[in-house]
């Protein structure tokens, strides 16, 4: 499954970005889609997930209240709206799916990843 992220870029602290995850040749619904991020020299860490069953959304505590994950079925796209960005949010963001309807926070359970989108937070 090919996943493609877009929407990364440079933003000042307090600013916003919206990441998109699309699958050109695959229907994302009804699978769970997760977002991870990776800091230089670190393992990928789970950020958020939207379930494929009832659309339940989950967030890591570090982004709760600032990030919103949503699915647009018509566009076959999953978005990650990131508001009130902080310096510590700067990372490469990946969307992923393990073709399950349930969310997992474990990166090793995901077989399908996008190429990543760089988010830079700088003043």
């Amino acid at each position: 499954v090919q996943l493609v992220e877009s929407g990364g870029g440079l933003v000042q602290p307090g600013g916003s970005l919206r990441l998109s995850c699309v699958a050109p040749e695959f229907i994302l619904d009804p699978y769970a889609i997760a977002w991870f991020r990776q800091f230089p020299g670190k393992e990928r860490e789970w950020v958020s997930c939207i379930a494929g069953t009832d659309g339940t959304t989950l967030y890591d505590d570090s982004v709760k209240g600032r990030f919103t994950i949503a699915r647009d079925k018509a566009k076959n796209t999953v978005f990650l709206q990131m508001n009130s960005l902080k310096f510590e949010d700067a990372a490469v963001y990946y969307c992923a799916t393990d073709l399950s309807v349930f969310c997992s926070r474990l990166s090793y359970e995901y077989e399908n990843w996008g190429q990543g989108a760089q988010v830079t937070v700088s003043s």
Side-chain angles (χ1 to χ4, degrees):
V1 177
Q2 180 187 14
L3 300 175
V4 180
E5 302 96 338
S6 63
L10 172 65
V11 64
Q12 293 183 338
S16 299
L17 284 174
R18 188 177 75 162
L19 302 181
S20 300
C21 175
V22 301
E25 300 178 348
F26 184 79
I27 304 300
L28 293 178
D29 179 57
Y31 302 106
I33 304 297
W35 285 94
F36 287 78
R37 63 187 179 185
Q38 188 168 25
F39 304 105
K42 303 291 187 180
E43 297 291 320
R44 291 180 187 178
E45 65 176 40
W46 179 84
V47 174
S48 179
C49 183
I50 183 165
T53 50
D54 57 1
T56 298
T57 57
L58 301 171
Y59 302 93
D60 184 77
D61 286 346
S62 64
V63 305
K64 197 172 295 182
R66 301 186 298 121
F67 291 12
T68 303
I69 190 170
R71 187 193 302 267
D72 186 326
K73 295 181 181 180
K75 296 182 179 180
N76 195 37
T77 302
V78 172
F79 299 101
L80 184 68
Q81 178 67 44
M82 306 185 295
N83 297 331
S84 303
L85 282 162
K86 305 176 181 180
F87 289 118
E88 53 263 40
D89 293 317
V92 179
Y93 285 72
Y94 299 88
C95 63
T97 182
D98 62 355
L99 301 184
S100 168
V101 299
F102 302 110
C103 284
S104 170
R105 302 182 183 220
L106 304 174
S107 61
Y108 63 78
E109 293 190 351
Y110 289 83
E111 297 179 344
N112 306 284
W113 296 84
Q115 83 288 352
Q118 178 71 54
V119 172
T120 303
V121 183
S122 176
S123 56

